[in-house]
Amino acid sequence: MTEEPEVITRKTGQVGRITLNRPKALNALTHGMCLTMIEALEAWREDDAVQAVVVDGAGEKGFCAGGDILKLHNSGKAGDDQAWLFWRDEYRLNTLIYHYPKPYVALIDGITMGGGVGVSVHGSHRVAGDRTMFAMPETGIGFHPDVGGAFFLPRLAGEIGTWMGLTGARLKAADSVAAGLATHYCPSSQYDELVAALESADLSDEDALEVLLEEFSGDPGDSELGLTRGLIDAAFAGDSFEEIASRIAAAGDSWSAKQAKVMASKSPTALKLTLACLRRGGDLAFEDVMRQDLRVSSWCLKGVDFYEGVRAVIIDKDHAPKWSPAAIGEVDDAWIETAFDTLDDDHEMTFLGE
């Protein structure tokens, strides 16, 4: 029996179609999937018959839930280069999408986290559906919001990105649209019709795609960000995590108490590391953020919390990680700074075409 490919690529009508095809794993990315996407996107970039790219995920639960975290964990434990190779090519893919010269339409219906964010948010169009659940939850496994998180999160309005990066907040369709993470909304029941319309439309006119997407748009409902935006901006400002945590603890309202409880469950090291990444990333070009991501991801393999987070969430599933250090006050700022050190010549980030 022939196994289904992990990524299905094909040209249909005017578009290049990419379907992430690991529905049982919520379409989590493997190294091979990244390479297949790079190959297809490079070919279609020069193909005049392809006017746009449409990316979706198989199944109804997930667009893409992230990367294959267990393989990264095992690679770090083994001390080989498999994790680095994956990140290098995943980040090259993110960069290719960011600079892609043709419309890139990601249909982010379902769980869209981590690596799934990387193959969607950097494209020109992101269409949320009724099942959209958008998040960067990496601090919960002792990691940082990579795949360009340090680029797009600081560029969201106010401190929405800081809040998302530190707490792993999960945004549904309405909040995703309100935050600018999704450019459009389409009811999940109309996704098939939308794809068929994209395949048959003449998208050579730069306005045609926008008109078509608007035809399928609906009302995603009210966004909770309208109620919490002021609280988010007040709570998550500043470069010191200790000051953010102190401000939230002193606020005394139920929303702040919830944020404090959520962050208390996260890796203290990952919290301080993530804030440092976001503050640096706000002033960096995209390629420099991706270089930073590779340095920081590689650094995480040298520590303790990434392995403990994966154990607690994915391996043993007891959701009771024992972080080390266990408290924010025990995390050495000078140690966090070493995460940004340049890698050796064989492991520094290079890009497509370099």
Side-chain angles (χ1 to χ4, degrees), residues 104-350:
Y104 180 100
V105 184
L107 306 179
I108 56 172
D109 197 27
I111 295 171
T112 304
M113 297 183 180
V117 171
V119 297
S120 59
V121 76
H122 304 307
S124 60
H125 298 77
R126 289 87 60 190
V127 183
D130 300 314
R131 296 181 288 256
T132 294
M133 185 65 73
F134 191 109
M136 296 295 285
E138 289 78 8
T139 54
I141 57 167
F143 200 57
H144 68 111
D146 65 333
V147 298
F151 184 83
F152 79 86
L153 288 172
R155 288 164 174 80
L156 299 179
E159 298 297 338
I160 291 174
T162 310
W163 167 64
M164 290 182 64
L166 294 178
T167 67
R170 299 184 174 196
L171 275 62
K172 295 182 180 180
D175 288 339
S176 297
V177 172
L181 296 163
T183 58
H184 297 80
Y185 162 78
C186 175
S188 300
S189 60
Q190 295 183 28
Y191 260 54
D192 289 344
E193 294 176 46
L194 171 60
V195 171
L198 288 167
E199 291 174 340
S200 61
D202 179 3
L203 302 177
S204 57
D205 181 338
E206 62 182 24
D207 295 326
L209 176 59
E210 193 67 31
V211 171
L212 191 156
L213 290 174
E214 287 297 330
E215 287 178 359
F216 281 86
S217 292
D219 181 4
D222 295 331
S223 167
E224 292 183 8
L225 291 178
L227 301 174
T228 59
R229 170 69 193 283
L231 294 169
I232 290 170
D233 290 353
F236 286 90
D239 298 337
S240 166
F241 182 82
E242 288 87 345
E243 291 180 6
I244 291 173
S246 177
R247 194 182 305 128
I248 291 173
D253 60 275
S254 60
W255 180 87
S256 298
K258 180 181 178 181
Q259 309 314 305
K261 182 178 180 180
V262 167
M263 289 192 292
S265 70
K266 310 298 184 184
S267 157
T269 297
L271 288 169
K272 297 203 79 169
L273 176 65
T274 292
L275 184 61
C277 288
L278 297 182
R279 294 302 183 246
R280 288 170 180 253
D283 296 321
L284 295 177
F286 190 86
E287 285 81 0
D288 290 328
V289 169
M290 302 318 294
R291 288 189 175 95
Q292 173 177 287
D293 277 355
L294 190 59
R295 294 167 186 168
V296 174
S297 295
S298 300
W299 182 86
C300 287
L301 295 184
K302 301 175 184 177
V304 174
D305 278 7
F306 175 64
Y307 302 105
E308 176 61 9
V310 174
R311 179 207 65 76
V313 175
I314 296 175
I315 299 174
D316 296 338
K317 299 181 180 178
D318 59 20
H319 296 276
K322 292 178 170 43
W323 305 120
S324 180
I328 284 290
E330 298 170 0
V331 180
D332 183 0
D333 288 339
W335 176 52
I336 293 294
E337 284 298 306
T338 66
F340 302 95
D341 289 348
T342 304
L343 301 175
D344 62 69
D345 290 344
D346 291 333
H347 291 91
E348 262 296 289
M349 185 74 188
T350 56

Side-chain angles (χ1 to χ4, degrees), residues 4-9 18-21 29 32-34 36-37:
E4 284 276 322
E6 294 182 332
V7 179
I8 301 171
T9 63
I18 296 176
T19 298
L20 308 178
N21 191 39
L29 293 177
M33 293 168 74
C34 294
T36 299
M37 290 185 70

